[in-house]
Amino acid sequence: MNLSCSLWLDNSMSVKHFAFIKFFEVTEQCFLLFTLILLMFLASLTGNALITLAIWTNLVLHNPMYFFLANLSLLEIGYTCSVIPKMLQSLVSEARGISWEGCATQMFFFTLFGISECCLLAAMAFDRYMAICSPLHYASRMSRGVCAQLAMVSWRVGCMVGLGQTNYIFSLDFCGPCEIDHFFCDLPPILALAYGDTSRNEAAVFVAAILCISSPFLLIIASYGRILAAVLIMPSPEGRRKALSTCSSHLLVVTLFYGSASVTYLRPKTSHSPEIDKLLALFYTVVTSMLNPIIYSLRNKEVKAALQRILERKNF
């Protein structure tokens, strides 16, 4: 397939198609990576779908912590589905092109699910703070209505940021090269293809990333700071252990998600390289989504029991 950008320009010199640069020149390497990503993708979809099903079909799990976990699993499903299918197609097919509209759509949904997950992780930290630091008022302050509002705010913020960022990036002029040196239509590689001086746009994207990634993270840090202070004054070692165990899974997920996101979007432009960006992209789009269900199912007896009942019912 001819990937020359000149073939994809109209009379106004605006790009109508992009193309992903081939990952490897050797077919065997592409097939090996395709198999690995496909297996992780299927594991992620299966794990997140099972956790969502277990929570919604088990009355014991109808409480705020598991309500947020079900939303997190839905976000992970959307997150991976917005990126991985096209990535898999590009690995084993010569059809590595993507239309201008398709690229914008992929960026919107990827940003929507990613920012929503940032906000939802902050809501989950606030839920743990209320459960440990204010247990007597927990039921009234974390009612179904409050939990639903926190989840809706997370989705709405993700939607607004996704629309704003996508509109801002794709209002720029692109006139080549139109080859994306990445796995999907992420913000930095698309911005690198824009025509003219994009320093202001890069600064705006960086500021938006700081606000959307750092602000929820600071809320998480504040919540866990209060939790740690409350745990340290507990007289019972068993009480301290139980309180910390309810937070361990969430803390591990936060570390994986924010660690990879911060390194990707908050480091200086001069330190970016396509190889490192691709490696990080594989981690936060595939690996973390696959690990989250494992983390919550292995470290949570109630989720594990609910999953076992579902699997036994299926086998029966």
Side-chain angles (χ1 to χ4, degrees):
M1 181 177 64
N2 188 357
L3 300 181
S4 174
C5 191
S6 60
L7 295 180
W8 289 337
L9 300 178
D10 62 11
N11 293 332
S12 62
M13 295 295 288
S14 62
V15 171
K16 294 301 180 184
H17 288 79
F18 298 94
F20 298 105
I21 292 179
K22 195 171 185 179
F23 302 162
F24 300 109
E25 293 299 328
V26 182
T27 305
E28 289 76 11
Q29 291 178 330
C30 288
F31 182 75
L32 180 61
L33 184 60
F34 170 87
T35 304
L36 181 62
I37 294 176
L38 178 61
L39 291 175
M40 290 191 292
F41 177 53
L42 293 176
S44 173
L45 289 183
T46 304
N48 284 295
L50 282 174
I51 283 186
T52 304
L53 181 62
I55 291 172
W56 290 117
T57 58
N58 196 319
L59 293 177
V60 177
L61 302 182
H62 286 189
N63 59 52
M65 182 173 70
Y66 297 114
F67 170 78
F68 290 127
L69 179 56
N71 274 270
L72 179 66
S73 295
L74 290 175
L75 283 172
E76 292 287 4
I77 291 173
Y79 195 64
T80 53
C81 287
S82 65
V83 172
I84 305 303
K86 184 63 182 177
M87 184 189 301
L88 292 172
Q89 181 192 17
S90 300
L91 275 169
V92 294
S93 171
E94 288 299 320
R96 290 179 281 113
I98 185 170
S99 67
W100 186 94
E101 294 81 4
C103 194
T105 301
Q106 187 182 65
M107 180 181 291
F108 164 70
F109 281 108
F110 176 77
T111 307
L112 185 159
F113 293 122
I115 298 300
S116 298
E117 185 163 341
C118 288
C119 297
L120 190 69
L121 289 172
M124 295 173 77
F126 177 73
D127 170 69
R128 291 299 84 208
Y129 158 73
M130 292 299 301
I132 294 172
C133 300
S134 186
L136 298 178
H137 304 285
Y138 177 70
S140 59
R141 293 180 179 177
M142 294 300 293
S143 62
R144 288 186 177 183
V146 172
C147 293
Q149 288 178 2
L150 288 173
M152 284 193 297
V153 167
S154 300
W155 286 84
R156 285 175 181 174
V157 170
C159 186
M160 288 189 295
V161 174
L163 283 172
Q165 288 280 55
T166 304
N167 182 66
Y168 187 58
I169 295 297
F170 282 88
S171 63
L172 299 172
D173 293 323
F174 300 93
C175 63
C178 53
E179 296 172 324
I180 304 171
D181 194 4
H182 205 54
F183 293 129
F184 60 94
C185 295
D186 201 3
L187 291 168
I190 296 298
L191 191 58
L193 300 179
Y195 175 75
D197 182 16
T198 61
S199 57
R200 291 184 178 180
N201 306 87
E202 292 169 359
V205 170
F206 185 75
V207 170
I210 290 178
L211 292 175
C212 297
I213 295 176
S214 300
S215 298
F217 185 67
L218 290 176
L219 292 175
I220 294 172
I221 295 297
S223 297
Y224 276 107
R226 298 292 298 272
I227 289 172
L228 182 60
V231 169
L232 290 176
I233 62 174
M234 289 181 178
S236 169
E238 180 64 23
R240 291 195 294 268
R241 186 197 63 78
K242 186 175 180 181
L244 291 175
S245 67
T246 64
C247 303
S248 58
S249 297
H250 180 255
L251 274 173
L252 187 53
V253 169
V254 167
T255 302
L256 289 172
F257 183 82
Y258 273 97
S260 56
S262 299
V263 172
T264 302
Y265 297 106
L266 299 183
R267 75 183 195 273
K269 181 185 176 183
T270 53
S271 64
H272 280 262
S273 71
E275 290 74 20
I276 295 177
D277 289 344
K278 288 177 183 179
L279 184 62
L280 288 170
L282 281 176
F283 186 82
Y284 65 73
T285 55
V286 186
V287 179
T288 57
S289 297
M290 179 190 67
L291 290 178
N292 287 353
I294 299 174
I295 292 169
Y296 274 103
S297 61
L298 289 180
R299 300 186 64 86
N300 191 300
K301 294 181 180 179
E302 292 177 325
V303 173
K304 190 187 299 184
L307 289 173
Q308 287 176 348
R309 282 193 290 271
I310 287 178
L311 294 175
E312 288 171 0
R313 195 181 310 156
K314 292 289 185 182
N315 291 334
F316 177 77

